[in-house]
Amino acid sequence: MPDIVGAIDQGTTSSRFILFDRSGAPLAMAQREHAQIYPAPGLVEHDPGEIWRNTEAVIADALARAGLAAGDLKAVGVTNQRETTLLWDRRTGEPLHNALVWQDTRVDGLVADYAREGGKDRLRAKTGLPLASYFSGLKLRWLLDHVPGAREKARAGDALFGTVDSFLLWKLTGRHLTDVTNASRTQLMDLVTLAWDDGILDLFGIPRACLPAIVSSSEVYGEATAGPLKGVPIAGILGDQQAALVGQACFRPGEAKNTYGTGCFMLMNTGGTPYPSRAGLVTTLAYRFGNAAPVYALEGSIAIAGALVQWLRDNLGLVAASADVEALARSVPDNGGVVIVPAFSGLYAPYWNEGARGLIAGLTRYAGRGEIARAALEATAFQTRDVLEAMARDSGIRLSELRVDGGMTVNELLMQVQADLLDLDVVRPRVTETTALGAAYAAGLAVGVWSGTEELAANWGVDRRWSPAMGAEERARMTALWAKAVGRSLDWTG
């Protein structure tokens, strides 16, 4: 039996299980979507029970499609939507509340309260993160404050906090752990010591007893005790964007990738030192493999990318399926002056403006469905440009190319627009399932399937390259309109 490694890829809209061979090629995959729960404007929740049921189902489905049994796998890695926050009962395993999704803005008031003393950057030196509704720590504080009995259970260690990786690992192995990449997104971990920070725990009113132990991204955490993976070592954990960085083989400082999914996330490897941002990015853990030194990254996070296309489909009925947006956008030569700023839950990097709200600007009677579809795709490309410019200001590095992955990279019009607006080559790898691949790599490294990062880098190859074809004058004109529209969207609710 050849070396086969599995990856649980639990994302914002679906759960997947993918099997990979030693070359990094996917062998089989299964996927199931889960419900997006919107109790009120700005609130986004998931049902942890549904996520777990779907995870078990996709594991069984993928193994069946490949004609494999659990014993045929060398190891399994886990990658996950990162800041989404769960609290569950240690004894029953039942969630105490729906998961609060990373997009959820219900803690805006807490963010403002803490920012009044010391500003939004008061915790940045320790955590690499500004105060924002995005991160997990204040979401946990909200759960402890609003779920009856939760705080008392948390103090006693009977209520367990975790991001989705922790919840899945607990379900699989009974161990309460998280890796450094996910811990770095809670705003509760010190970037240098890689430990929970007592001062921040006290500040946020979070009992240490409810927190998982922090471990590396690549080691054997335990074997699955039941279900379709029974007996298989669970040996890798990476937050989804860090997993994509690993899957894209960005192991050298200065290498960067951008993932186009529900949101959009650009990470640049900055090596062994946390690199402070002065341009609106965050400093985060890229990965830590076993006992090796941690590797850090600069990250720009964009809340709404593919979610804007879903909004065109579900809320406006502009397209019947998300895949139809490319043909609709191609039906017109340009955006007709229309600009969309998709600030549905504020704007993340590099603005960090919770009060921003979405707008469609530049409408005339000329504008139609095609122009709006094109402007929606351009919104993702413009937001990526904003992050790339901030990254260049922080690091002093101008990329020679941008490696891209995620579901939206099948949209070739978007990729060309991205190259045009960045004035930079955009490169899609042969294996586009880079998030799951990164988790598989982390697990395989832990059990010896791969010898090290050099072997992983040798697996990476180019599928398609887009080069810029837009003139500097047109690029400057479009960018100026985008900046004007962003300015109008800021502090809309302030």
Side-chain angles (χ1 to χ4, degrees):
M1 177 65 64
D3 290 338
I4 298 173
V5 181
I8 297 168
D9 181 359
Q10 203 298 298
T12 306
T13 59
S14 69
S15 301
R16 306 188 303 164
F17 188 68
I18 305 182
L19 298 167
F20 295 93
D21 67 16
R22 189 182 176 86
S23 73
L27 302 175
M29 187 266 279
Q31 179 173 5
R32 293 197 182 190
E33 292 192 0
H34 56 264
Q36 306 297 306
I37 302 166
Y38 304 106
L43 307 190
V44 190
E45 298 178 356
H46 291 158
D47 175 358
E50 182 186 12
I51 286 175
W52 172 241
R53 291 189 296 274
N54 286 356
T55 299
E56 286 197 300
V58 296
I59 292 167
D61 289 350
L63 287 171
R65 289 174 187 177
L68 297 173
D72 297 323
L73 306 186
K74 296 293 185 183
V76 165
V78 176
T79 183
N80 58 289
Q81 50 168 321
R82 294 174 300 178
E83 298 80 6
T84 296
T85 302
L86 296 88
L87 195 65
W88 67 94
D89 188 292
R90 178 193 291 275
R91 293 185 171 86
T92 67
E94 291 300 308
L96 301 183
H97 191 278
N98 278 339
L100 305 189
V101 179
W102 55 273
Q103 300 157 315
D104 189 283
T105 61
R106 74 187 67 198
V107 299
D108 281 354
L110 282 172
V111 170
D113 290 344
Y114 282 111
R116 271 192 282 273
E117 297 181 25
K120 284 192 174 182
D121 287 335
R122 61 184 292 186
L123 301 178
R124 188 184 281 272
K126 277 192 175 181
T127 68
L129 311 175
L131 284 167
S133 60
Y134 182 21
F135 306 111
S136 310
L138 290 179
K139 287 180 164 64
L140 173 56
R141 163 70 184 269
W142 187 94
L143 289 170
L144 295 174
D145 287 347
H146 290 84
V147 175
R151 183 170 293 280
E152 292 72 23
K153 283 187 174 183
R155 286 183 180 134
D158 292 329
L160 303 182
F161 154 74
T163 42
V164 176
D165 61 301
S166 285
F167 181 67
L168 294 181
L169 189 70
W170 191 84
K171 286 284 194 180
L172 288 164
T173 70
R175 300 193 68 195
H176 188 210
L177 307 173
T178 192
D179 91 301
V180 291
T181 67
N182 282 289
S184 76
R185 312 301 295 189
T186 62
Q187 205 160 44
L188 304 175
M189 187 190 81
D190 186 302
L191 278 179
V192 175
T193 66
L194 307 185
W196 303 121
D197 184 86
D198 287 327
I200 299 175
L201 297 182
D202 289 343
L203 180 69
F204 285 177
I206 291 172
R208 179 180 280 272
C210 72
L211 302 179
I214 300 173
V215 294
S216 84
S217 310
S218 177
E219 61 181 88
V220 177
Y221 312 113
E223 292 184 352
T225 57
L229 290 180
K230 185 176 182 180
V232 179
I234 312 301
I237 301 174
L238 286 162
D240 54 8
Q241 304 314 317
Q242 288 91 338
L245 190 77
V246 170
Q248 286 274 33
C250 294
F251 298 123
R252 293 182 296 184
E255 292 182 328
K257 69 87 198 175
N258 197 34
T259 297
Y260 299 76
T262 304
C264 209
F265 303 89
M266 187 184 297
L267 270 74
M268 176 191 282
N269 184 322
T270 61
T273 304
Y275 205 111
S277 175
R278 298 174 181 83
L281 304 177
V282 302
T283 306
T284 194
L285 261 293
Y287 53 85
R288 186 184 189 190
F289 294 150
N291 293 321
V295 174
Y296 295 88
L298 281 172
E299 175 174 339
S301 307
I302 296 165
I304 302 294
L308 178 57
V309 176
Q310 293 171 339
W311 182 77
L312 297 184
R313 179 194 68 192
D314 298 340
N315 294 52
L316 299 189
L318 222 59
V319 291
S322 295
D324 298 339
V325 76
E326 181 175 5
L328 183 56
R330 284 189 184 275
S331 70
V332 296
D334 55 46
N335 62 22
V338 177
V339 180
I340 299 177
V341 181
F344 295 157
S345 53
L347 284 173
Y348 290 178
Y351 303 101
W352 295 108
N353 190 286
E354 286 90 357
R357 287 296 178 268
L359 59 81
I360 303 177
L363 288 172
T364 64
R365 283 293 297 270
Y366 173 80
R369 296 167 65 246
E371 284 77 17
I372 291 173
R374 195 174 187 100
L377 296 184
E378 290 171 351
T380 293
F382 276 125
Q383 290 179 99
T384 297
R385 177 187 165 93
D386 287 345
V387 169
L388 189 73
E389 290 296 309
M391 212 162 265
R393 290 195 298 274
D394 268 340
S395 67
I397 297 171
R398 282 281 171 184
L399 300 184
S400 59
E401 64 181 26
L402 180 65
R403 297 181 178 185
V404 299
D405 55 73
M408 292 185 81
T409 61
V410 300
N411 189 315
E412 299 200 348
L413 175 60
L414 171 60
M415 294 296 97
Q416 184 60 56
V417 168
Q418 188 68 87
D420 288 343
L421 291 178
L422 294 180
D423 194 22
L424 193 69
D425 278 10
V426 168
V427 183
R428 185 175 67 197
R430 284 196 302 263
V431 178
T432 56
E433 298 290 359
T434 54
T435 301
L437 180 59
Y441 279 165
L445 285 172
V447 299
V449 172
W450 293 284
S451 59
T453 56
E454 297 83 3
E455 188 176 358
L456 303 183
N459 280 347
W460 189 87
V462 176
D463 170 57
R464 176 78 189 271
R465 180 181 295 270
W466 289 267
S467 297
M470 179 181 285
E473 186 175 331
E474 176 65 5
R475 185 181 304 111
R477 184 191 70 81
M478 291 181 66
T479 302
L481 283 177
W482 165 256
K484 186 176 183 180
V486 168
R488 300 283 172 87
S489 76
L490 299 178
D491 296 314
W492 191 268
T493 64

